[in-house]
C-alpha cells in the first residue's frame, strides 16, 4: 500500500518513532508469520527466504557492532524489505541507539515521490540517514570518511540486479572502491517474493510502484514497465492507457524493462 495509508501504526515519541518499540513490534509480526503454515506456495517460499535473511543479518551482528554496521537505503522495494528484517533482528539486541545509522545515495535526477518516501521512512523507522547527491563510489568514500567506525554496510542487492549474479551474502568491495564489507541478506530473493512480503505485512511503499514502475532510478532513466501496460478501453489511445501496479509483475527478468540501462 502507498506510504500514506499506515503512517500512524508504529509507536511514536516526540514526533519520532521509538526504535526499540518499532523493532519489537515488527519482530512480533514476522516471528508470528514464520510460525504459521503458509497458505500459499509463494508465502512458504517467503518464509524460507526470511529465515535465511535473518540468519545473515544475525551473522553480521555477531561480526560487527551496531556502531560498525550501516544500512544502504534508497526507498526501493528491496532495501525496504531489508530494512524491515534488520529492524526485526535488532529487537533482541540492546541497547539500541536512538536512531539507526544509514546512508542514502541520491539519484542525479530524483523522483519527488522517492524523496518523500525516504523522508517518511526516516521518521517512521528512526533512521539516522546520511545523504549524498553524487556518484556512488564517491558517496561511499565520503560516507566512510565521515563515519570512520563503519566497517560493513547492509545492501538490498538481489541476484538479478546488475553485477549481482556472482555475489554472496558477504563480499568485500571491489578493487578501486572504498573498502567495506557488503552484506546481502536478500540476494537470492525473487521479485514476487519481495512483493509477497511487502503485501503480506502491508508495509507502506513508494507510490510510484502503484503507477507501473518496477525498478526505481531517476526521472531520466526510469519509466513504467511496458509489461504492465493496462489493456484500456476499446478504441482508447495508447498514451491514455494506464499501468498496473508493480506487484502484478511475475518474471524476475522483466523487472528492469522500465529502465534505460
Amino acid at each position: 500500500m502507498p506510504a500514506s495509508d499506515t503512517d500512524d501504526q508504529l509507536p511514536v515519541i516526540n514526533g519520532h518513532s521509538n526504535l526499540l518499540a518499532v523493532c519489537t513490534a515488527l519482530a512480533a509480526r514476522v516471528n508470528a508469520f514464520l510460525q504459521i503454515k503458509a497458505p500459499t506456495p509463494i508465502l512458504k517460499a517467503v518464509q524460507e527466504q526470511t529465515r535465511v535473511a535473518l540468519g545473515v543479518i544475525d551473522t553480521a551482528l555477531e561480526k560487527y557492532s551496531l556502531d560498525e554496521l550501516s544500512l544502504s537505503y534508497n526507498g526501493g522495494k528491496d532495501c525496504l524489505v531489508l530494512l524491515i528484517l534488520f529492524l526485526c533482528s535488532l529487537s533482541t539486541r540492546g541497547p539500541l541507539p536512538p536512531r539507526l545509522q544509514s546512508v542514502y545515495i541520491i539519484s542525479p535526477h530524483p523522483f519527488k515521490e522517492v524523496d518523500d518516501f525516504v523522508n517518511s521512512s526516516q521518521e517512521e523507522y528512526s533512521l539516522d540517514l546520511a545523504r549524498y547527491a553524487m556518484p556512488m563510489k564517491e558517496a561511499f568514500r565520503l560516507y566512510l570518511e565521515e563515519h570512520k567506525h563503519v566497517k560493513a554496510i547492509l545492501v538490498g542487492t538481489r541476484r538479478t540486479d546488475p553485477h549481482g549474479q556472482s555475489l554472496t551474502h558477504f563480499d568485500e568491495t571491489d578493487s578501486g572502491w572504498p573498502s567495506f564489507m557488503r552484506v546481502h541478506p536478500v540476494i537470492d530473493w525473487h521479485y514476487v517474493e519481495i512483493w509477497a512480503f511487502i503485501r503480506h505485512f502491508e508495509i507502506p511503499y513508494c507510490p510510484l510502484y502503484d503507477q507501473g514502475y518496477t525498478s526505481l532510478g531517476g526521472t531520466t532513466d526510469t519509466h513504467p514497465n511496458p509489461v504492465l501496460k493496462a489493456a484500456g478501453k476499446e478504441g482508447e489511445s495508447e498514451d491514455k492507457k494506464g499501468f498496473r501496479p508493480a506487484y502484478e509483475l511475475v518474471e524476475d527478468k522483466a523487472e528492469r524493462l522500465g529502465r534505460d540501462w
Side-chain angles (χ1 to χ4, degrees):
M1 61 181 63
S4 60
D5 289 357
T6 61
D7 286 347
D8 60 350
Q9 289 189 353
L10 294 175
V12 175
I13 297 177
N14 296 327
H16 301 289
S17 295
N18 176 271
L19 182 57
L20 178 58
V22 169
C23 294
T24 301
L26 290 172
R29 295 183 66 199
V30 171
N31 289 335
F33 166 67
L34 293 178
Q35 293 171 11
I36 66 170
K37 182 177 180 181
T40 67
I42 287 295
L43 286 178
K44 182 177 181 180
V46 170
Q47 287 178 323
E48 291 306 310
Q49 294 282 34
T50 298
R51 292 185 182 99
V52 172
L54 289 173
V56 173
I57 295 170
D58 284 343
T59 298
L61 288 167
E62 291 167 5
K63 289 185 175 182
Y64 306 99
S65 68
L66 266 182
D67 199 44
E68 297 171 328
L69 195 59
S70 185
L71 169 76
S72 180
Y73 184 76
N74 64 3
K77 63 189 183 307
D78 303 324
C79 60
L80 176 60
V81 170
L82 173 57
L83 169 61
I84 298 301
L85 295 173
F86 188 27
L87 292 169
C88 290
S89 294
L90 295 178
S91 65
T92 57
R93 306 263 179 173
L96 298 181
R99 299 176 80 80
L100 193 63
Q101 66 181 355
S102 45
V103 54
Y104 172 31
I105 300 176
I106 304 169
S107 166
H109 306 281
F111 283 96
K112 181 181 184 300
E113 293 90 342
V114 172
D115 277 348
D116 288 347
F117 180 69
V118 170
N119 290 339
S120 68
S121 296
Q122 182 175 2
E123 297 310 312
E124 185 164 2
Y125 301 115
S126 293
L127 301 181
D128 180 12
L129 193 64
R131 300 167 186 248
Y132 299 91
M134 59 186 68
M136 186 175 295
K137 184 184 293 188
E138 178 63 15
F140 278 128
R141 183 194 65 77
L142 184 56
Y143 179 66
L144 293 174
E145 279 187 5
E146 296 175 349
H147 301 77
K148 296 185 184 301
H149 47 278
V150 171
K151 297 181 179 179
I153 300 178
L154 294 159
V155 183
T157 301
R158 291 179 22 251
R159 188 73 61 201
T160 52
D161 290 332
H163 313 296
Q165 189 171 6
S166 61
L167 294 177
T168 66
H169 288 134
F170 292 86
D171 294 286
E172 291 279 358
T173 49
D174 297 332
S175 176
W177 280 73
S179 179
F180 63 90
M181 179 66 73
R182 294 169 292 172
V183 186
H184 305 114
V186 298
I187 186 67
D188 288 316
W189 285 53
H190 293 288
Y191 180 89
V192 294
E193 294 165 346
I194 290 289
W195 276 111
F197 183 97
I198 290 172
R199 299 190 73 212
H200 177 79
F201 289 105
E202 299 183 331
I203 300 167
Y205 54 80
C206 178
L208 287 177
Y209 288 120
D210 283 336
Q211 301 172 32
Y213 292 85
T214 55
S215 177
L216 301 182
T219 58
T220 60
D221 62 17
T222 308
H223 317 279
N225 194 312
V227 174
L228 294 175
K229 188 77 170 179
K233 300 177 181 178
E234 185 176 352
E236 188 175 37
S237 62
E238 286 294 321
D239 60 341
K240 290 187 177 181
K241 293 179 181 178
F243 290 83
R244 306 194 312 278
Y247 55 76
E248 292 192 13
L249 191 71
V250 175
E251 294 294 333
D252 284 346
K253 293 181 179 179
E255 177 181 355
R256 297 181 65 86
L257 293 179
R259 299 291 291 272
D260 288 343
W261 48 273

